[in-house]
Amino acid sequence: MDPVTPVPSSLTTDLAAVVGADHVLTDAADVAPYATDWRGAYAGTPLAVVRPGSTDEVSAVVRLAHEAGVAIVPQGGNTGMCGGATPSGDGSQVVLSLGRMRKIRDVDPVSSTMTVDAGVVLAEVQQAAASVDRLFPLSLAAEGSCTVGGNIATNAGGTAVLRYGMMRSLVLGLEVVLPDGRVWDGLRSLRKDNTGYDLTQLFIGAEGTLGIVTGAVLTLHPATPARATSWVALPSVAAAASLLPLLRDHAAERLTTWELVSRPALDLVVSQGVPDPLACDAPWFGLIELAGPAGATVGDDLESALGAAVEAGLVLDAAIAGSPAQRDGLWALRERISEAQESLGPTIKHDVSVPITSLDDLVSRLAPALEQALPGIRPIVYGHVGDGNLHYNLSRPESLEPDAFWARAAELSAIVHDCTVELDGSISAEHGLGSSKAAAASAYKSEVEVSLMRSVKDALDPRGLMNPGKVLPLG
Amino acid sequence: MDPVTPVPSSLTTDLAAVVGADHVLTDAADVAPYATDWRGAYAGTPLAVVRPGSTDEVSAVVRLAHEAGVAIVPQGGNTGMCGGATPSGDGSQVVLSLGRMRKIRDVDPVSSTMTVDAGVVLAEVQQAAASVDRLFPLSLAAEGSCTVGGNIATNAGGTAVLRYGMMRSLVLGLEVVLPDGRVWDGLRSLRKDNTGYDLTQLFIGAEGTLGIVTGAVLTLHPATPARATSWVALPSVAAAASLLPLLRDHAAERLTTWELVSRPALDLVVSQGVPDPLACDAPWFGLIELAGPAGATVGDDLESALGAAVEAGLVLDAAIAGSPAQRDGLWALRERISEAQESLGPTIKHDVSVPITSLDDLVSRLAPALEQALPGIRPIVYGHVGDGNLHYNLSRPESLEPDAFWARAAELSAIVHDCTVELDGSISAEHGLGSSKAAAASAYKSEVEVSLMRSVKDALDPRGLMNPGKVLPLG
């Protein structure tokens, strides 16, 4: 742990003058929800938690911290997976919560845009879009509590990336408070603006290390009330990869979801009471969804695609949802996995991606390598096969105590990550780096790439006060 | 003109040792095609033109220039609109042509990716994608001679941006030679990679001012053999804007093209022999195209959308292409405008974008303001209404000599640009800044935004040797 940095005693007083005393938290009980992440995997000790209520207040807070030389950790819904919003343990950092900035500033169905405060919860954005017959397609497990600012800071993914891209593809403009407190107003709603470096994209995925996103212009998509959903049994991961172009040939962009589920992952959710629609003795399964505007022939398209897939030997058996309730049942097979895995004890999580054509190689190499390292280890594998992204998560052998399993985490993760990088993959496909993967990512990257990233960081945050140690390791 | 910078006399000799004497051009006749842009609007005098044949050679060339303190101007197909690839006039800059780097390195129809050298011509990329039943959707007038590297450097747009986005949306990874000659290998073909700052997006649209793109991984889309195309007569620009959500409600992503053409622009191409399919006395016209996979019901979708549009008073009359030849005829009405306008004398071109809901305001304000500034001026307006992007181009009054008209260019452009910026628009929607718009863009931008851009430039190119004066003005 670093030694405690001496802080001007007047800082919390000055912060209270900006945001009001009620919004500067320093009591241990008050700061606790902000000091630890939702999973309890990362814990810190903030100097204070500040909750500004406007962009001007964020600017004033950052300016005060900058003058005092105090580091800031921005925090949205605190639902991240990698400790990106957790402060250090030495009591030297201020947590800046965007939780009070929850205004939807504008919704424009003709331009298909929405302008929001960073603290708006993702589900509220989805609902506001739906209320004007539009779709905001970002969808992920934490959508009821994660914020748009967090989605932007981490470039969030989810189950509709295949069709709509990650958060990066859904943002037209940003408002950002810079490390010295200046405000960059880049809140443009233009579809085309070719007047220089794309600063918007630079701040997206930067995890608050270059500045604090306070507002955003989001792009909306046409609503897709017509949906067709299928659960399929697959002979192999290679078949799953080959199925992607076949599905695209039949449905093109209307292919919205193509998720992979391993047999052990399916067995786990079925054991917890979710009905298995196929009862097929296959090693892999998948969830396919097509969606389109009212009247779109997505049901016919799905049936013809599945017919061709069975004929080509890529699909062994398939169930098609005949009602919204059946659709929910199929989705539960995919969505309940993460929760179900908790029943096996602690989970060592991975979020890797490889070129789609290398997915089969990845799972073929990892299973024996992990079994050799820790006999009886239980990989629970699922993910977004259309994006080449697997959550290759590990549960302990039945006979091993949780603590003893957890002690092997670094070694086991290295096996997963080494193999991923050998296949030209990424060790963080959609969760970002936070503090937990920053060092590993820098170690796997080339020296040139790390030096480029450090150049950008040093240029925009020369004093290193914005979320230190996230994305790039300290030192 | 700046004074000539003294250059070590050995530089051209050293360059020849890297690329071969045949590929270092210094004779005036040899360098002429590289010294002037294709329109003849910008002219410079290079110290030399170097034509490396590989990434390693580009790296060695840049390293030599860096050591000698000589600036480099990267050049692809030399088809840009803003002088971005033209050297200065003082004989101090080396033009680095990517024209010999024309290898398609890999095409993968399963992953839907293609890896190419920067010097590959756009039309070759389109053909290579089509040969494996995929689509590379970027499409623009210069596609027969512009290069992928130029498309990336300028973040090129075109007629399919509405559906597929600009070049920025079509690139997964890059290989870039940095200002000191180091090579950044970011040639990843991953759909998801969340391991730090998005360097790929930073180099896209940077016009070679941060480094030289030598290779790229492109993303391909499903082929769209089913097409339906219509030419429509419109009562107003406001109707054109309102038509966008209506078309999207019927066709969602299958709406590929929604182009606007003003009455004078139509009259011009018709006067040059292109048949008018409607002969309707309307002030505005448009070209609509839907596209989808084989068997897609795009014809039905288009008919139902147009029926609803006529009912809503947004469309006065419509013609639907009944054959590929008729489709080509409708496209000619849009594609021949730029060439046809040359018959009126010199064209003062603008490439502006505003929020779609402000398009009507823009044209309503500009027409009288320009007429007042120069009575008899002939605006020939057309563009990508779905993106809020108009080419608001000006031809001289019949009675005014070309030179006298050209002398008013700065004043007339200021009218167009001022109005665009007042409506929260951009003065360069898809053409970039080059040397011609760099100063204007910086003047319209906020001080904060310009300082952010300069920070990035200074961080990556501290000696200022990469395409100086482009994107950001000198000094």
Side-chain angles (χ1 to χ4, degrees), chain B residues 12 15-16 19-36 44-52 61 73-75 85 87 93-99:
Chain B
T12 52
L15 292 174
V19 299
D22 285 358
H23 299 302
V24 180
L25 314 179
T26 50
D27 285 0
D30 293 339
V31 305
Y34 304 88
T36 305
T45 309
L47 172 66
V49 175
V50 190
R51 295 166 42 87
V61 165
V73 179
Q75 189 176 98
Q93 301 181 336
V94 167
V95 170
L96 190 155
S97 166
L98 281 302

Side-chain angles (χ1 to χ4, degrees), chain B residues 317-379:
Chain B
D317 199 1
I320 295 183
S323 67
Q326 286 184 3
R327 169 176 305 126
D328 291 347
L330 299 187
W331 269 98
L333 292 163
R334 165 64 181 86
E335 287 178 331
R336 298 264 184 92
I337 299 170
S338 180
E339 180 193 334
Q341 193 173 5
E342 299 297 315
S343 68
L344 304 182
T347 305
I348 301 174
K349 290 180 184 275
H350 304 99
D351 166 43
V352 300
S353 66
V354 293
I356 296 160
T357 42
S358 297
L359 275 173
D360 190 51
D361 252 7
L362 182 72
V363 298
S364 303
R365 293 188 199 183
L366 281 182
L370 290 163
E371 173 65 25
Q372 188 177 2
L374 183 59
I377 193 170
R378 290 173 289 179

Side-chain angles (χ1 to χ4, degrees), chain A residues 114-252:
Chain A
M114 188 187 306
T115 307
V116 298
D117 281 355
V120 174
V121 169
L122 174 55
E124 292 168 9
V125 171
Q126 295 167 342
Q127 287 153 17
S131 73
V132 293
D133 201 26
R134 295 287 177 274
L135 174 73
F136 186 70
L138 192 77
S139 177
L140 42 87
E143 62 196 28
S145 48
C146 66
T147 64
V148 169
N151 299 148
I152 291 168
T154 60
N155 184 28
T159 54
V161 172
L162 179 61
R163 177 169 182 167
Y164 298 102
M166 296 178 72
M167 191 62 175
R168 187 177 293 294
S169 305
L170 302 171
V171 176
L172 293 174
L174 290 179
E175 177 186 82
V176 179
V177 174
L178 301 177
D180 59 3
R182 289 179 301 161
V183 179
W184 173 52
D185 180 357
L187 280 179
R188 290 184 276 257
S189 62
L190 303 171
R191 303 282 164 177
K192 282 177 164 177
D193 177 20
N194 234 355
T195 57
Y197 309 140
D198 195 330
L199 301 172
T200 297
Q201 292 298 331
L202 190 57
F203 288 109
I204 298 173
E207 303 187 21
T209 62
L210 304 178
I212 301 175
V213 172
T214 51
V217 183
L218 307 175
T219 182
L220 308 180
H221 283 265
T224 54
R227 291 165 74 189
T229 312
S230 177
W231 179 256
V232 297
L234 304 159
S236 65
V237 173
S242 299
L243 200 45
L244 180 66
L246 184 149
L247 292 168
R248 281 234 172 93
D249 284 345
H250 283 78

Side-chain angles (χ1 to χ4, degrees), chain A residues 208-422:
Chain A
T209 62
L210 304 178
I212 301 175
V213 172
T214 51
V217 183
L218 307 175
T219 182
L220 308 180
H221 283 265
T224 54
R227 291 165 74 189
T229 312
S230 177
W231 179 256
V232 297
L234 304 159
S236 65
V237 173
S242 299
L243 200 45
L244 180 66
L246 184 149
L247 292 168
R248 281 234 172 93
D249 284 345
H250 283 78
E253 285 85 350
R254 289 183 178 168
L255 175 64
T256 304
T257 298
W258 175 210
E259 298 278 306
L260 188 69
V261 175
S262 66
R263 169 103 244 165
L266 174 65
D267 288 345
L268 198 57
V269 291
V270 169
S271 76
Q272 301 204 351
V274 181
D276 180 352
L278 290 180
C280 173
D281 182 27
W284 294 92
F285 296 84
L287 181 75
I288 299 166
E289 190 163 283
L290 312 190
T297 59
V298 285
D300 295 347
D301 294 344
L302 181 58
E303 281 188 37
S304 73
L306 290 177
V310 169
E311 188 131 329
L314 301 176
V315 163
L316 302 174
D317 198 1
I320 295 183
S323 68
Q326 286 184 3
R327 169 176 305 126
D328 291 347
L330 300 187
W331 270 97
L333 293 163
R334 164 66 181 85
E335 288 179 331
R336 298 265 183 93
I337 300 171
S338 179
E339 180 192 333
Q341 193 173 5
E342 299 296 315
S343 68
L344 304 182
T347 304
I348 301 174
K349 290 179 184 275
H350 303 100
D351 165 42
V352 299
S353 66
V354 292
I356 295 160
T357 42
S358 297
L359 275 173
D360 190 51
D361 252 6
L362 182 72
V363 296
S364 303
R365 292 188 200 183
L366 281 182
L370 290 162
E371 172 65 24
Q372 188 179 1
L374 184 59
I377 193 170
R378 288 173 290 179
I380 301 295
V381 181
Y382 57 98
H384 318 293
V385 61
D387 311 316
N389 177 196
L390 291 186
H391 298 306
Y392 202 106
N393 294 345
L394 304 175
S395 288
R396 67 192 164 97
E398 282 188 58
S399 57
L400 193 66
E401 287 305 306
D403 284 354
F405 176 60
W406 200 247
R408 304 283 299 271
E411 174 199 346
L412 297 168
S413 290
I415 291 172
V416 175
H417 291 162
D418 284 353
C419 183
T420 299
V421 171
E422 275 165 28

